[in-house]
Amino acid sequence: MRISAAQRAENENRIRAAMDRLLRGEIPPGGKCDVKTLAREADVDRTAFYGTRPYGHLRLEFERRVQALQDTGEIPDRREAQIIRLKAENSRLKERLDQSERKNDELSDFRTQALAQLAAQHEEIARLRETAAGTSGIRRLPTPRTTVIGSCS
């Protein structure tokens, strides 16, 4: 069905008004900052935005404006902004978890090495004591006295 120039101009005005609302962040419940919601808000058939249809240029303008806002760090869709924020937080938490796991692995390796070294030192001490006890030519020195009689000066 063909529309008149006046109807087309009216539709373009409604589309531009809906576009401005969406880009200001006035997104209806259940909607996003996308062409589907734009068409619903402007009460225009969504297929009119694609290909060589009458409002294809408005879809391109809308997508450029959305991209320009995203490039400046401003995201009109609160839900999309939350998704981006949560993804960034998720990747930060994954990195922290990886660092913690690496640190735990390092500490476990250090603990294993320290226990092995202590066990080796204990075995060496036990061997030296056995050697000392089995040799008859070794005399034990008397233990030092702990009481002091008189001054040493």
Side-chain angles (χ1 to χ4, degrees), residues 139-145:
R139 275 188 26 187
R140 296 218 177 252
L141 296 175
T143 58
R145 287 195 269 169

Side-chain angles (χ1 to χ4, degrees), residues 47 56 58 82-83 94 110 121 126 134:
T47 59
L58 291 175
Q82 182 181 23
I83 289 170
K94 282 182 180 180
F110 177 76
Q121 288 173 347

Side-chain angles (χ1 to χ4, degrees), residues 95-107:
E95 179 59 33
R96 283 183 55 194
L97 180 63
D98 289 343
Q99 287 175 352
S100 295
E101 287 175 351
R102 281 194 299 271
K103 187 70 171 174
N104 284 341
D105 290 343
E106 290 173 11
L107 291 173

Side-chain angles (χ1 to χ4, degrees), residues 3 6 9 15 28-29 45 50 61 65 76 78 81 87 107 136 152:
I3 59 174
I15 292 169
D45 185 28
Y50 294 99
E61 177 185 338
R65 289 176 64 184
R78 285 176 275 136
K87 282 182 179 179
L107 291 173
S136 60
C152 296

Side-chain angles (χ1 to χ4, degrees), residues 107-124:
L107 291 173
S108 293
D109 290 344
F110 177 76
R111 180 178 178 257
T112 302
Q113 289 174 355
L115 287 174
Q117 189 176 7
L118 285 171
Q121 288 173 347
H122 178 72
E123 288 175 12
E124 179 67 14

Side-chain angles (χ1 to χ4, degrees), residues 2-96:
R2 291 227 175 251
I3 59 174
S4 68
Q7 288 173 322
R8 184 176 175 158
E10 181 184 328
N11 286 347
E12 284 192 17
N13 288 337
R14 281 199 326 263
I15 292 169
R16 288 186 192 283
M19 191 184 308
D20 290 337
R21 283 193 309 272
L22 290 176
L23 293 174
R24 280 194 309 264
E26 298 174 18
I27 298 171
K32 298 191 240 179
C33 193
D34 61 355
V35 176
K36 181 178 177 182
T37 306
L38 176 63
R40 189 176 61 212
E41 287 293 299
D43 197 27
V44 176
D45 185 28
R46 183 169 48 126
T47 59
F49 286 99
Y50 294 99
T52 59
R53 302 287 177 119
Y55 308 118
H57 67 284
L58 291 175
R59 176 182 59 87
L60 294 174
E61 177 185 338
F62 177 68
E63 289 172 349
R64 274 194 305 269
R65 289 176 64 184
V66 167
Q67 187 62 46
L69 284 174
Q70 289 175 345
D71 290 345
T72 62
E74 192 176 327
I75 301 173
D77 189 348
R78 285 176 275 136
R79 195 171 125 245
E80 187 69 28
Q82 182 181 23
I83 289 170
I84 291 170
R85 181 184 56 79
L86 290 173
K87 282 182 179 179
E89 183 179 348
N90 190 28
S91 54
R92 280 193 311 272
L93 290 173
K94 282 182 180 180
E95 179 59 33
R96 283 183 55 194

